[in-house]
Amino acid sequence: MTESIALRWRLLAPLAVALFILLLPTPQGLEPHAWHYVAVFIGVMVGLVLEPLPGAVVAMVGIAIITVLAPWLLFSPEQLAAPGFKSTSAALTWAVSGFSNSVIWLIFAAFMFGTGYEKSGLGKRIALLLVRKMGHRTLFLGYAIMLSELCLAPVTPSNSARGAGIIYPIIRNLPPLYDSHPNSPSARHIGSYIMWMGITADCVTSAIFLTAMAPNLLLIGLMKSAAHTTLSWGDWFLGMLPLSLLLILLVPYLTYLFYPPTIRQGNQVCVWASEQLKAMGPLSGREIKMIVLMILALLLWIFGGKLIDAATVGYAVVALMLLGKVICWDDIISNKSAWNVFFWLASLIALATGLNQNGFIQWFGTGLAGHLAGLSPTWVMVALITTFYLLRYFFASATAYTSALAPMMIATALVIPGLPLPAFCLMLGAAIGLGSIVTPYATGPSPIYYGSGYLPTADYWRLGALFGALFLVLLLATGLLWMPLVLG
């Protein structure tokens, strides 16, 4: 009964919020149809946060409502009165516009790369090789976990699939080898260090690469729809390079320093990894093909941005994976996660495009910029990024967080003279991944590691605040000093 009441509340809350906003007077300077659209949009965002239904369903319901009520939500009276204008056709074109966005196809292709890693066994082999090589010292084991995530991140756009589906099943076997067990005093022997490194490495690598996390690509889609400009895979990688190097080098050591294990070295992990690799046997033909295709995709993403679109690269490599039998057609049509994200993000991009079309983005950005008048572009960036980062505490979904807040941040940046938009958007993107460390519910893998029994609640919140603050400081420093130089 309690669960039924909670579900009804989560179903009614988005509708109640939308109706409440609809009843408020239209703000000065905004068209009534735009305000009505905003009401539905905010209702969808509330639905994404509360999740009475899967996120993709919530977004698609929002699209359906706006499409049916398009004359009152999507178009101005002037548009409706224009000769030859058909609201039904224009509304349908808007509703499916997200599916023609190249970002959506790039992320779908990257999901197929992740399937190739999993089916071929290459992802597991990479992690085991690093653990075998570096696992004789606990500190080095932390670096092995970080490097394992780093190798998988460029071609695994689901940080949940990467962190919870590939890395966690491997590292959860390591603490018992040292008699370190969950929910016991022995957890701190080595298990707590390993588990905190697992979730931290996932958050760090989610920020390093454009294709490491679905919300990164959603952000680029929002940026493209609002500002008609974008960041390539190479732009993202180059802009993040100094911060990436700092985080890769510092995080395992700082975890070792602030959350020290009592067991500092041993050979058990190396022996276990060797046994696992022996059971896997030599490199298979599938793994070799996957390595070649992965290198091809990364080279084209980094160096071929001016010659070939990143989504085209992904599409072509997926075709080669099918031809080379790395994956099969059934792997594509049965990949529920990929199709879920495909429909989810396409709908969210269409919703954000509607905000731009009806003038809300410009209105909001101009209004907020008025309150920031007198501040330099640098201080505006600091204020906006810090606010965006700290609001991460209120969201249990990185996608909902991005879709709800990023359009407003971009809108403000667009009307601030002298503010470097590409650098600002990259800082927003980095904040999405790095900010996921602050709470045990912020992103998909967080509850998995939190529920491992090795990270007590007080420790998780304390470490989340500590590492979250460190990440924010480093992001602001490198974002202000480096990113504008390389991105403009």
Side-chain angles (χ1 to χ4, degrees):
M1 180 64 70
T2 303
E3 289 184 5
S4 176
I5 294 174
L7 178 59
R8 290 176 185 175
W9 176 82
R10 295 202 309 272
L11 282 168
L12 291 175
L15 180 61
V17 169
L19 289 174
F20 174 76
I21 296 173
L22 276 171
L23 295 174
L24 295 175
T26 302
Q28 186 177 0
L30 196 64
E31 294 285 341
H33 77 281
W35 183 240
H36 300 159
Y37 183 98
V38 169
V40 177
F41 180 86
I42 294 177
V44 171
M45 294 304 108
V46 172
L48 289 176
V49 172
L50 298 179
E51 287 194 327
L53 300 168
V57 177
V58 173
M60 291 179 71
V61 168
I63 291 284
I65 291 172
I66 293 170
T67 304
V68 172
L69 302 177
W72 299 275
L73 301 178
L74 204 57
F75 306 116
S76 66
E78 292 78 15
Q79 288 175 299
L80 293 171
F85 181 81
K86 294 183 178 180
S87 62
T88 52
S89 299
L92 181 59
T93 299
W94 165 80
V96 299
S97 62
F99 295 96
S100 63
N101 192 299
S102 62
V103 170
I104 299 301
W105 290 100
L106 173 59
I107 194 171
F108 187 79
F111 263 100
M112 296 306 108
F113 290 3
T115 300
Y117 260 88
E118 182 181 352
K119 285 205 67 176
S120 67
L122 182 60
K124 181 179 180 180
R125 185 182 295 274
I126 290 172
L128 288 172
L129 284 170
L130 288 167
V131 167
R132 184 183 69 177
K133 188 70 174 178
M134 306 175 70
H136 59 283
R137 293 182 64 89
T138 306
L139 175 59
F140 293 168
L141 181 59
Y143 281 99
I145 294 170
M146 177 66 79
L147 292 176
S148 298
E149 278 271 356
L150 194 66
C151 291
L152 299 175
V155 290
T156 315
S158 169
N159 66 319
S160 296
R162 183 174 70 252
I166 299 176
I167 300 298
Y168 178 77
I170 294 174
I171 66 175
R172 71 181 178 187
N173 294 297
L174 305 183
L177 299 174
Y178 292 91
D179 200 28
S180 179
H181 301 286
N183 302 308
S184 71
S186 67
R188 286 297 302 274
H189 288 351
I190 194 172
S192 297
Y193 173 78
I194 288 174
M195 292 303 162
W196 184 253
M197 267 309 309
I199 184 58
T200 311
D202 188 82
C203 294
V204 167
T205 55
S206 293
I208 290 177
F209 304 104
L210 172 61
T211 48
M213 191 180 191
N216 295 348
L217 291 149
L218 172 59
L219 175 72
I220 297 303
L222 298 175
M223 176 186 175
K224 189 174 181 179
S225 66
H228 305 292
T229 186
T230 189
L231 291 172
S232 69
W233 197 96
D235 291 335
W236 187 293
F237 178 76
L238 181 61
M240 283 293 298
L241 190 57
L243 179 57
S244 302
L245 293 174
L246 282 172
L247 293 174
I248 292 166
L249 292 173
L250 287 176
V251 167
Y253 176 74
L254 291 177
T255 302
Y256 193 79
L257 185 67
F258 295 134
Y259 204 43
T262 58
I263 295 176
R264 305 299 177 95
Q265 58 186 1
N267 291 320
Q268 292 95 319
V269 166
C270 302
V271 172
W272 175 82
S274 296
E275 292 174 351
Q276 293 291 309
L277 286 167
K278 186 177 179 180
M280 289 185 71
L283 273 173
S284 66
R286 267 185 173 183
E287 288 176 279
I288 294 171
K289 293 173 186 175
M290 192 65 215
I291 291 172
V292 172
L293 292 174
M294 176 193 70
I295 293 173
L296 174 64
L298 291 177
L299 288 175
L300 288 173
W301 279 342
I302 296 171
F303 302 109
K306 294 182 179 180
L307 301 174
I308 183 171
D309 185 80
T312 304
V313 172
Y315 198 85
V317 171
V318 170
L320 292 174
M321 290 169 66
L322 288 166
L323 290 174
K325 297 184 179 179
V326 177
I327 60 174
C328 63
W329 183 244
D330 283 343
D331 294 324
I332 291 180
I333 61 177
S334 64
N335 193 320
K336 294 181 180 179
S337 296
W339 288 112
N340 178 59
V341 171
F342 181 79
F343 281 95
W344 189 3
L345 296 190
S347 299
L348 290 176
I349 286 177
L351 286 167
T353 301
L355 286 175
N356 190 48
Q357 285 180 192
N358 64 31
F360 175 79
I361 292 292
Q362 183 178 1
W363 173 83
F364 180 88
T366 303
L368 186 55
H371 293 289
L372 298 173
L375 294 177
S376 69
T378 298
W379 283 112
V380 171
M381 288 177 70
V382 171
L384 292 178
I385 294 298
T386 302
T387 301
F388 182 73
Y389 193 90
L390 293 178
L391 287 172
R392 195 70 181 86
Y393 277 97
F394 299 97
F395 288 85
S397 163
T399 304
Y401 167 71
T402 306
S403 55
L405 299 180
M408 313 309 171
M409 296 295 167
I410 295 172
T412 306
L414 283 171
V415 295
I416 300 294
L419 190 149
L421 183 66
F424 177 75
C425 287
L426 180 53
M427 291 176 73
L428 286 179
I432 296 167
L434 297 178
S436 296
I437 195 62
V438 296
T439 70
Y441 52 78
T443 188
S446 301
I448 304 297
Y449 284 99
Y450 173 60
S452 67
Y454 288 99
L455 297 172
T457 301
D459 288 358
Y460 202 113
W461 283 95
R462 174 177 60 85
L463 291 168
L466 179 63
F467 279 80
L470 171 66
F471 291 169
L472 177 59
V473 170
L474 292 177
L475 170 60
L476 290 172
T478 57
L480 295 174
L481 296 175
W482 170 259
M483 292 177 188
L485 292 178
V486 296
L487 299 176

